[in-house]
Amino acid sequence: MENTILVLNGPNLNLLGEREPGVYGSETLAQLEQKLTELLNEKDVTLTFRQSNSEGVLIDTLHEFRHCQGIVLNAGAYTHYSIAIRDAIQAIQSPVVEVHMSNVHAREAFRHTSVIAPVCVGQIAGFGMASYELGLQAILNLSK
Ligand code: DQA
């Protein structure tokens, strides 16, 4: 588990590529995962991908990966109101980097609040798929 990084995606991110392409781009989640895998090819790290639309499954997954090198988390809309996900992040050892493809601060007011931000090591938002690459880089830098 120490050499494992989890990329965890929340609700509606399984529809990447067809969901609001003007906001989230036209690449699919499978393409994103492929790209990230290639990026870490040479590194001594195992990359694991999970996605769920369910809050409980996301919490169970955070628990399962509680002792890993780090977690790149796009909690989707749960970011803005899930105290249960926040508590799960606070309960685990693994550092969690919050990522968003869109710049949530430039969108609707309800997206400006992140209830998980205070318990994450940092937040990356607004760089499309590159937000995940930057999130991974952040985890790797933490472990140096
Ligand atoms: C998102 C932003 C959230 O506000 C939204 O609910 C999502 C995706 C992003 O990646 O930009 O589902 O997390």
Side-chain angles (χ1 to χ4, degrees), residues 24-86:
Y24 301 113
S26 54
E27 275 185 291
T28 65
L29 185 57
Q31 286 170 324
L32 165 70
E33 293 177 352
Q34 178 63 31
K35 205 173 185 176
L36 296 179
T37 302
E38 282 164 18
L39 205 74
L40 286 204
N41 207 8
E42 314 265 284
K43 303 243 192 288
D44 182 26
V45 169
T46 305
L47 208 49
T48 302
F49 300 98
R50 298 282 182 89
Q51 188 276 330
S52 178
N53 295 319
S54 145
E55 188 178 27
V57 173
L58 292 170
I59 292 166
D60 288 342
T61 308
L62 289 166
H63 291 179
E64 184 185 340
F65 285 84
R66 65 188 180 278
H67 295 300
C68 74
Q69 187 173 339
I71 300 173
V72 175
L73 172 65
N74 186 346
Y78 286 134
T79 304
H80 312 302
Y81 68 93
S82 176
I83 306 299
I85 290 179
R86 176 195 165 119

